[in-house]
Amino acid sequence: MEFLTTLGQQFLATLPLFVLILLGYLAIKIGRWQKTVTDSLTKFTFYIAFPIMLFQIMSHFSEHSQIDIKLLLVFFGSSFIVFALGCIIASKCFKLNGTQSTMFAMGGIYTNTVFVGIPIIKMLLGDNAIPIVAIIVIFNALILWTLATVCIEFVQMGKLSTKGFVKAFKNVSKNPIILGIFVGIVVNFTGIPLPQFIDKSAKMVSDMTAPLSLIVLGMGLAEYKIRDELMLTGSICILKLAILPIVTYILAKIIGLPTLELQVVVLLSSVSIAINCYMMARQFEVLQGPIASSLLISTALSSITTPLILSIMMQLPFT
């Protein structure tokens, strides 16, 4: 009964987030807004709102608790483990080729750290957890794009080169979200005083970014459809929403990650697949249908699975 009570509380706590996603989805499906509206709001959120929010939070980085670098080992270590498992499942169970197996496995680990992860962490764990997320965001795109590029390059060419590494690094270094984080860290550690009107303006943008991002995500999801190959889609969602959080939790306990960091990495690993994963599928022209379907289904399912995972963690005596 205590567990069910906790689950109900966590579900109610996260429900407003998914209501905002639904609001954005219905705005496009029922309101029939033009695609240009979604594109413009997405561009504003990604290029302006999120960089400002992360800049504002990271400029006060030293006010938060110290970050344990072991969280990177846990988050990406578990991702590599599930990635390898996903490649094996794709090859042995679905008889996919090397490129398809890489994309299948990538769907099982590419977390929507920005549009879903940050709002959920901010609501459930507070601002003290955001610097932890920011550290992961810095490396997430670089490591996963590099991993996918290198694996696909190896499959297609039978050899590795520095070209994939350099291309991935250049793309990530131009990412406005990464730039916002780095500029905020520089301001924090150099002690450069921010004028109060700038700090307050950044805080106002920061407060509106999380809800705006969820509405924009819902608008974007309205473009996708659940297609064929549901066995592939279902397997990707199981890897992402169930297997990855379990592996992350086990690895976090083995390494001895502190409670807050443990909660952050497990919750992040439990949220839906990132839109970037679909963009990756389009770039490599492989499994676009299953990845798009997984994106839609995992977002809907995570409204239940994420609070469930948090409730389970809170009930464990050694958390």
Side-chain angles (χ1 to χ4, degrees), residues 173-194:
S173 65
K174 298 175 184 177
N175 189 310
I177 290 176
I178 304 300
L179 292 176
I181 293 172
F182 273 119
V183 173
I185 291 175
V186 169
V187 169
N188 176 81
F189 284 104
T190 57
I192 299 174
L194 283 177

Side-chain angles (χ1 to χ4, degrees), residues 61 73 187:
F61 181 86
L73 179 61
V187 169

Side-chain angles (χ1 to χ4, degrees), residues 75-86:
F75 188 82
F76 293 108
S78 59
S79 294
F80 292 154
I81 292 171
V82 175
F83 179 82
L85 176 62

